[in-house]
Amino acid sequence: MACDLCDGDGGEVLFRDAKLRVVAVTGAEAVYRGFCRVIWNAHTKEITDLTRDDRNRFMDAVYRLETALRSSLDPDKMNIASLGNMTPHLHWHVIPRFHDDATFPKPIWAHAFTSQEMASDTTQQSHPDWKEAVRCALSA
């Protein structure tokens, strides 16, 4: 069975090591400034399938990512979600939320974006420093 997160990066890679990667989300969901995913490299379905050391490594990456995004973007709230019913590969969404984003205060999945909205959005490009903050935080 094909797996999107085994077959591709899952976004713009900001950090990668032997165990995991952190990607900036691209495509339709990129309209949310700073939206990233922490993705386990090996095809693993649930966090409880990992060893204790690997679980700690994964969660440390989530914490470092959240810290970097909070310090570089100053969001109103952070959303962290372990979803993935359609892609059964361990990945967590780390999403800075702002009062002026497209769906605040609802979940980001509450709105389907049109092609025009996606094409006209420059949110990711207009705040490039957050990506460097993520790279530094995860490389430390």
Side-chain angles (χ1 to χ4, degrees), residues 64-121:
R64 286 176 184 238
L65 174 58
E66 179 187 354
T67 300
L69 292 171
R70 288 184 67 201
S71 66
S72 63
L73 292 173
D74 193 30
D76 297 303
K77 182 69 176 100
M78 291 295 300
N79 290 175
I80 299 175
S82 173
L83 303 169
N85 297 326
M86 298 302 294
T87 305
H89 183 124
L90 179 60
H91 65 286
W92 282 28
H93 306 265
V94 181
I95 313 154
R97 298 300 307 274
F98 302 89
H99 282 96
D100 64 349
D101 72 33
T103 58
F104 194 88
K106 296 176 184 169
I108 67 163
W109 295 279
H111 179 77
F113 291 97
T114 66
S115 297
Q116 184 177 6
E117 287 173 313
M118 289 186 292
S120 67
D121 186 76

Side-chain angles (χ1 to χ4, degrees), residues 1-131:
M1 185 164 124
C3 172
D4 292 343
L5 297 180
C6 287
D7 296 340
D9 289 328
E12 176 189 347
V13 177
L14 302 178
F15 173 83
R16 181 190 311 262
D17 67 15
K19 300 277 187 174
L20 59 84
R21 63 192 180 271
V22 174
V23 301
V25 171
T26 56
E29 296 165 316
V31 298
Y32 293 95
R33 182 177 3 142
F35 184 177
C36 292
R37 289 186 184 106
V38 178
I39 303 168
W40 196 250
N41 289 333
H43 188 78
T44 302
K45 193 171 172 182
E46 308 294 349
I47 196 166
T48 52
D49 294 334
L50 300 178
T51 66
R52 178 176 299 198
D53 287 344
D54 285 346
R55 283 192 308 267
N56 289 340
R57 174 69 189 106
F58 188 87
M59 291 310 300
D60 184 61
V62 172
Y63 299 144
R64 286 176 184 238
L65 174 58
E66 179 187 354
T67 300
L69 292 171
R70 288 184 67 201
S71 66
S72 63
L73 292 173
D74 193 30
D76 297 303
K77 182 69 176 100
M78 291 295 300
N79 290 175
I80 299 175
S82 173
L83 303 169
N85 297 326
M86 298 302 294
T87 305
H89 183 124
L90 179 60
H91 65 286
W92 282 28
H93 306 265
V94 181
I95 313 154
R97 298 300 307 274
F98 302 89
H99 282 96
D100 64 349
D101 72 33
T103 58
F104 194 88
K106 296 176 184 169
I108 67 163
W109 295 279
H111 179 77
F113 291 97
T114 66
S115 297
Q116 184 177 6
E117 287 173 313
M118 289 186 292
S120 67
D121 186 76
T122 58
T123 303
Q124 294 280 27
Q125 295 76 25
S126 63
H127 296 83
D129 295 342
W130 71 267
K131 291 181 182 179

